[in-house]
Amino acid sequence: MKKLFLTSALALCTLCANAQEPNIGMFPGMPKIEVNFNPYVAAPEGFDKPGQGIDNGTIEETEYESKTVGTMRKVTIYLPPKYDKKKKYPVLYLLHGIGGDHKEWLNGGVPQIIMDNLYAQKKAEPMIIVMPNGRALKDDSATGNVYAKANGFAIFERDLIDDLIPFIQGKYSTYTDKEHRAVAGLSMGGGQSLNFGLGNMDLFAYVGGFSSAPNTKQPEQLIPDVEKTKKENKLLWMVCGGQDGLMFNSSRLKAFCDEKGVPCTLIEYPGEGHNFVVWKYGLFNFAQLIFK
Ligand code: FER
């Protein structure tokens, strides 16, 4: 199975262009796990289109010193409309996929438009969204064979916790407790969010996985202590396309949670594959559920 996995991953890679998520539609060999999905409710028309006459947040790119990697690392920040240093904000760490970097969400997922619209309708708590480069390597570019650099996505756990979070809390006006910190991501970033979020429940109360990739740990590793997770996690929320060959990463965790009585959402986006239709929907919904 491992060999099949590797071969197909490499085959996929040769198909995928740089800085783009692979087409997972034909991903072979993984089991279909029967689960009770949570109901899919379509996002309203225009949720990802610029709203007219509404306040806009601001996007900036900055750099932080990573002791983990030994380099200065780029990160994209989205501050909510009317960001005010005298107030404190919760923080969502929003992670990209294997073909992306700190700009992937901005280029493909228009988080600033989705959030500006949500704020205009008072449907989300004002928050800072931090979009780092989740490939914690000296060469963290999404070029060449991105699968060969996949180990950087695991190393990022230390970069995030030891370097990036302290930097963000020093530079911006943020709350610093777990109830005001969330992590979510797409594909490899979804796997990272489940791994790091459930693995560090003292740091993250809200966890989101959108079309999570095979870097997602086994449910027994993610939730070794069911009672602790029930007590400490405030939201475990997932979405995945119905035609996405990576669904098993999400459905395996959902089945485990349902069996053990751990609150967990998994929505199957009807008919969709491994793409930003699903991930924009993920952000739109997840952002409305956190920090409340
Ligand atoms: C794999 C298939 C897909 C894999 C990673 C991915 C590390 C990631 C896809 C993405 O981030 O879009 O076998 O192994």
Side-chain angles (χ1 to χ4, degrees):
M1 178 60 79
K2 241 197 172 138
K3 204 166 165 200
L4 176 71
F5 229 59
L6 210 70
T7 327
S8 45
L10 287 173
L12 277 168
C13 181
T14 54
L15 293 175
C16 74
N18 285 339
Q20 196 181 313
E21 296 316 307
N23 180 358
I24 306 287
M26 301 305 285
F27 201 82
M30 292 313 290
K32 186 168 164 59
I33 301 165
E34 296 297 331
V35 286
N36 292 319
F37 293 113
N38 297 83
Y40 164 81
V41 179
E45 192 82 20
F47 81 101
D48 58 349
K49 302 285 180 299
Q52 299 305 312
I54 64 171
D55 291 330
N56 299 123
T58 50
I59 297 156
E60 54 189 55
E61 185 180 294
T62 184
E63 280 191 343
Y64 63 101
E65 184 186 356
S66 167
K67 294 208 167 62
T68 304
V69 184
T71 54
M72 296 298 289
R73 308 200 69 229
K74 291 194 168 83
V75 55
T76 305
I77 313 284
Y78 163 75
L79 301 172
K82 298 198 169 80
Y83 172 73
D84 177 354
K85 284 185 183 139
K86 291 194 281 304
K87 292 184 183 159
K88 280 193 161 90
Y89 295 87
V91 185
L92 164 61
Y93 291 84
L94 188 60
L95 310 179
H96 62 81
I98 202 156
D101 58 17
H102 64 291
K103 288 187 175 156
E104 182 175 36
W105 267 101
L106 215 51
N107 291 336
V110 290
Q112 74 284 24
I113 293 176
I114 293 171
M115 295 306 298
D116 288 349
N117 287 336
L118 284 176
Y119 294 138
Q121 296 176 31
K122 301 213 173 331
K123 285 187 173 163
E125 290 296 313
M127 67 185 84
I128 297 172
I129 301 187
V130 176
M131 292 162 274
N133 181 320
R135 188 183 293 99
L137 298 175
K138 286 205 164 63
D139 171 12
D140 62 6
S141 65
T143 54
N145 180 353
V146 287
Y147 289 91
K149 303 184 198 173
N151 64 323
F153 285 82
I155 300 169
F156 182 67
E157 180 167 8
R158 296 281 27 115
D159 180 84
L160 171 65
I161 294 172
D162 301 337
D163 303 314
L164 180 57
I165 291 177
F167 168 80
I168 293 296
Q169 291 176 176
K171 184 170 164 81
Y172 300 96
S173 190
T174 70
Y175 289 106
T176 57
D177 59 314
K178 61 172 278 186
E179 309 274 321
H180 292 94
R181 197 180 295 114
V183 63
L186 72 90
S187 202
M188 285 297 274
Q192 287 177 310
S193 299
L194 298 172
N195 295 347
F196 308 164
L198 293 171
N200 299 278
M201 289 190 293
D202 55 329
L203 298 178
F204 302 98
Y206 308 90
V207 178
F210 314 154
S211 318
S212 300
N215 62 331
T216 307
K217 291 180 181 172
Q218 295 290 327
E220 295 77 6
Q221 290 174 285
L222 291 172
I223 306 182
D225 184 338
V226 166
E227 291 313 313
K228 188 171 188 278
T229 303
K230 279 190 200 169
K231 212 160 70 205
E232 296 187 11
N233 176 268
K234 288 191 76 175
L235 181 71
L236 174 51
W237 193 96
M238 298 183 283
V239 65
C240 190
Q243 298 299 316
D244 189 332
L246 297 184
M247 172 62 94
F248 62 92
N249 299 295
S250 306
S251 52
R252 187 177 59 196
L253 180 56
K254 170 69 171 161
F256 178 92
C257 287
D258 285 358
E259 188 194 320
K260 305 286 183 189
V262 178
C264 170
T265 297
L266 173 57
I267 295 171
E268 179 186 47
Y269 195 115
E272 277 301 335
H274 195 67
N275 61 47
F276 263 109
V277 173
V278 178
W279 306 329
K280 286 194 283 190
Y281 179 83
L283 176 63
F284 173 79
N285 284 282
F286 185 75
Q288 296 180 64
L289 297 170
I290 56 179
F291 310 134
K292 291 188 167 165

